[in-house]
């Protein structure tokens, strides 16, 4: 039986979830909130570090900024995708304007940029806005 470790997006508690329960809307053992909400998580540098160090579910992170037109046009597509891949991937967003140090640490030079991580290591990167079909195809191509 495969077990996953998930960080609660609400209280930041570390939770152990059996793989077969990922599709059953698991809840945090501490605060009882959903561990896999159907929308992307909003991260800052410390929350990102905690996810990368502790989670076993692959993470796809959207580096974006509020002033970026392509970022704004891709936002609803990314939000919809979060609900579609819940339990297989975790989707999250990081505002590069508000968290410049985190963006710099990952060498983000253009936005939007999607970076996929597996067990804390980068496994794929895609720059530029994607349509729903392109995003779906890219997410399915990830080696997870």
């Amino acid at each position: 039986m495969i077990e996953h470790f998930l960080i609660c997006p609400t209280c930041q508690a570390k939770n152990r979830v059996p793989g077969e329960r990922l599709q059953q809307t698991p809840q945090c053992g501490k605060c009882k909130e959903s561990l896999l909400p159907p929308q992307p998580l909003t991260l800052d540098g410390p929350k990102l570090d905690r996810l990368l160090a502790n989670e076993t579910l692959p993470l796809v992170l959207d580096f974006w900024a509020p002033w970026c037109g392509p970022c704004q046009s891709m936002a609803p597509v990314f939000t919809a995708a979060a609900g579609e891949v819940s339990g297989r991937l975790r989707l999250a967003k990081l505002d590069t304007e508000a968290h410049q140090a985190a963006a710099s640490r990952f060498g983000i030079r253009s936005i939007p940029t999607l970076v996929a991580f597996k067990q804390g290591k980068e496994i794929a990167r895609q720059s530029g806005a994607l349509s729903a079909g392109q995003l779906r195809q890219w997410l399915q191509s990830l080696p997870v």
Side-chain angles (χ1 to χ4, degrees), residues 8-116:
C8 176
T10 304
C11 72
Q12 296 296 298
K14 186 175 180 179
N15 290 262
R16 186 173 51 216
V17 180
E20 66 271 5
R21 292 210 45 238
L22 289 176
Q23 301 299 325
Q24 300 171 3
T25 318
Q27 295 180 331
C28 176
K30 183 176 178 184
C31 73
K32 306 302 181 208
E33 293 294 322
S34 175
L35 290 173
L36 296 170
Q39 67 274 353
L41 303 180
T42 300
L43 301 180
D44 57 19
K47 286 181 180 177
L48 173 59
D49 291 341
R50 182 152 171 77
L51 282 178
L52 292 177
N54 293 288
E55 282 219 359
T56 56
L57 197 63
L59 171 71
V60 175
L61 184 57
D62 177 14
F63 288 91
W64 71 286
W67 51 262
C68 168
C71 298
Q72 296 300 329
S73 67
M74 193 175 91
V77 171
F78 193 74
T79 297
E84 294 172 14
V85 300
S86 183
R88 184 175 89 80
L89 301 169
R90 184 184 295 271
L91 272 55
K93 298 176 76 68
L94 186 130
D95 178 349
T96 59
E97 190 74 15
H99 307 288
Q100 294 178 8
S104 176
R105 193 175 57 182
F106 291 99
I108 302 302
R109 291 186 175 81
S110 66
I111 52 174
T113 293
L114 301 176
V115 180

